[in-house]
Amino acid sequence: MSLHSDQRNGRERLLFKLSITTVVTICSLYAAQPIQPVFQQEFGLSSLQALLFTTLMMLPLGCAPLFYGYLLELIPARRILRGALLILGILELLFSLANGYVLLLSIRALQGLVLPAVLISLMSYISYTTPRHAVQQAVAVYVGMTIIGGILGRILSGICTELFGWRLFFFLLALLFFWCWHLLGALDRRIRLSVARPDLREIAALLHRGPLLWLYGAIFFIFFAGAALLNLIPLELMRINPQLSETAVGLLYLGNSMGIFVALGNARIQRFCKGEITTVVTGLVVFMLGTVGFLAGHYLVMFVAMFVFCLGMFAAHATLSGYVSRLVEDHKPVANGLYMSFYYFGGAVGSFVPGLIYVPFGWRWFILALLVIELCALLCIVGLRSATGHVG
């Protein structure tokens, strides 16, 4: 009994360490987002140049689920995870000391290449070291930690920038990465993670399945719109009110907390909506209503709209991510990897391309473009319903 208790406590401690590392890593991904206007002003950047601080870190995540599996099978998990954390810490330290836009952007791009190795290693480690009956709960904890990391990264960088300047927060992130490197020193040295390594034939076969293609299209458009608004909202807020504090900008991202409630209550939401497809459609309608709320041009209205916006986005995302496995009997890891690729590619493209509309034409045309993108996601769900013969 004591041995069983010790093993359980050991797993809980490991899950805690992996969760802390997840939060720090996601903090790093989104830390620059709310303070893009600060970079814009300090380095004399255009709006499009400022947007790249997030885009370049997100872009490699679109390739990661498909190609990083080879690396994780060749190198022991502990070595690649701790090595990547050490590199991220060094790069974060260099970022906090760097002067010049090109150097800062180059460091963010390098971080973007390393970041996927950490995230995939963390999720794989959680799945590998957790008993089968508890894997779903552990993965849910991981997803919750990514949401918390996104919220904390944005809010704390805003607060820290207002009080002490932007460099201190990235210096603190460097220290946190070094701490996580130390924290995971006791990981099993022998474990080699088995991650899906799809070949082009598997990918082509899955993409030829009508229902999956509609689903992947939907999640691409959903996160395209989501990332677009989350990345450009700081620029618009500072345009509306140049005196607005970085803390106020960061606090706007509290709406992302809806993702935690949706993740915990997704089964109940689906029962209330009477089916997965209906849940996604409802989520997209809420998503679009939240988008319209950002036309108000008033901070408090936008603050409330962010909660509505994120509620709809996460309801659709949480439902579709689970629906993938129901559509495939074979190649489930590859199907899930493709889902994440479409998700992050949509986010990477959406975090930059809509800026080409926002800069010359303004916020209203930008919001209109997002509504068109969200309508495309809705049409993909209609196609998914038709392809599956789904009535719920």
Side-chain angles (χ1 to χ4, degrees):
M1 190 72 177
S2 177
L3 179 61
H4 176 73
S5 177
D6 288 344
Q7 290 176 337
R8 185 183 62 192
N9 291 336
R11 286 195 299 268
E12 289 176 352
R13 285 194 298 270
L14 176 60
L15 182 59
F16 173 77
K17 293 176 182 179
L18 295 173
S19 297
I20 291 295
T21 305
T22 302
V23 170
V24 173
T25 305
I26 298 297
C27 272
S28 173
L29 174 60
Y30 292 114
Q33 198 170 61
I35 58 172
Q36 287 170 161
V38 175
F39 292 120
Q40 187 178 5
Q41 184 175 7
E42 182 168 334
F43 297 102
L45 309 178
S46 69
S47 296
L48 292 176
Q49 288 175 315
L51 294 176
L52 287 172
F53 281 107
T54 299
T55 302
L56 285 182
M57 281 197 75
M58 192 177 292
L59 190 58
L61 288 167
C63 307
L66 301 180
F67 301 110
Y68 275 65
Y70 291 95
L71 186 63
L72 291 170
E73 286 195 348
L74 288 172
I75 304 173
R78 177 180 178 274
R79 184 180 302 172
I80 193 169
L81 178 54
R82 296 188 75 231
L85 288 171
L86 189 60
I87 292 170
L88 284 173
I90 293 170
L91 290 173
E92 211 68 78
L93 183 60
L94 292 175
F95 189 87
S96 72
L97 300 172
N99 287 301
Y101 171 69
V102 174
L103 180 56
L104 287 167
L105 203 62
S106 299
I107 293 170
R108 291 290 282 181
L110 289 173
Q111 287 179 307
L113 292 174
V114 179
L115 196 85
V118 175
L119 293 178
I120 293 178
S121 296
L122 287 169
M123 193 168 184
S124 299
Y125 237 116
I126 289 169
S127 300
Y128 186 93
T129 57
T130 304
R132 181 167 297 185
H133 69 275
V135 167
Q136 189 170 1
Q137 180 183 359
V139 171
V141 170
Y142 169 82
V143 172
M145 290 302 105
T146 63
I147 296 170
I148 291 171
I151 296 169
L152 289 178
R154 291 161 170 136
I155 292 177
L156 294 179
S157 72
I159 294 172
C160 199
T161 297
E162 183 180 354
L163 295 177
F164 308 107
W166 64 269
R167 295 181 185 275
L168 178 62
F169 185 70
F170 292 94
F171 177 77
L172 293 175
L173 278 176
L175 297 183
L176 287 171
F177 273 123
F178 294 142
W179 179 56
C180 290
W181 172 81
H182 172 73
L183 206 60
L184 299 180
L187 288 176
D188 193 329
R189 299 171 182 268
R190 301 164 297 173
I191 293 178
R192 289 181 183 267
L193 299 177
S194 180
V195 182
R197 300 189 309 169
D199 58 37
L200 293 177
R201 287 173 297 179
E202 284 181 296
I203 294 172
L206 286 170
L207 292 179
H208 272 90
R209 300 184 186 184
L212 275 180
L213 198 55
W214 286 117
L215 189 150
Y216 292 148
I219 197 57
F220 176 89
F221 288 124
I222 288 169
F223 201 45
F224 181 108
L229 193 134
L230 294 173
N231 211 33
L232 270 82
I233 190 69
L235 302 179
E236 177 63 11
L237 286 173
M238 297 306 290
R239 187 197 68 80
I240 295 171
N241 181 9
Q243 305 305 315
L244 196 67
S245 69
E246 287 81 13
T247 299
V249 176
L251 286 173
L252 193 78
Y253 291 96
L254 272 173
N256 280 266
S257 62
M258 297 306 297
I260 300 173
F261 297 107
V262 169
L264 293 174
N266 190 244
R268 292 181 181 178
I269 295 172
Q270 288 185 32
R271 285 197 298 270
F272 178 79
C273 293
K274 299 179 180 178
E276 293 104 324
I277 299 295
T278 310
T279 301
V280 177
V281 171
T282 304
L284 285 173
V285 171
V286 173
F287 192 39
M288 296 175 80
L289 288 173
T291 303
V292 172
F294 286 98
L295 287 171
H298 189 279
Y299 178 83
L300 288 178
V301 177
M302 289 181 166
F303 185 87
V304 174
M306 183 65 83
F307 283 87
V308 179
F309 181 85
C310 292
L311 173 62
M313 179 175 68
F314 283 116
H317 170 39
T319 305
L320 287 174
S321 63
Y323 197 52
V324 173
S325 295
R326 288 193 55 188
L327 292 178
V328 291
E329 293 297 328
D330 52 348
H331 306 302
K332 286 188 179 183
V334 180
N336 286 317
L338 278 172
Y339 177 90
M340 294 310 298
S341 285
F342 275 88
Y343 177 82
Y344 279 114
F345 268 131
V349 176
S351 67
F352 180 78
V353 171
L356 300 174
I357 296 173
Y358 171 71
V359 171
F361 301 111
W363 186 250
R364 291 183 180 274
W365 280 101
F366 165 74
I367 292 294
L368 180 61
L370 289 197
L371 289 170
V372 171
I373 292 296
E374 290 159 8
L375 183 60
C376 289
L378 191 57
L379 291 174
C380 284
I381 297 303
V382 172
L384 176 62
R385 182 196 292 268
S386 176
T388 58
H390 206 97
V391 294

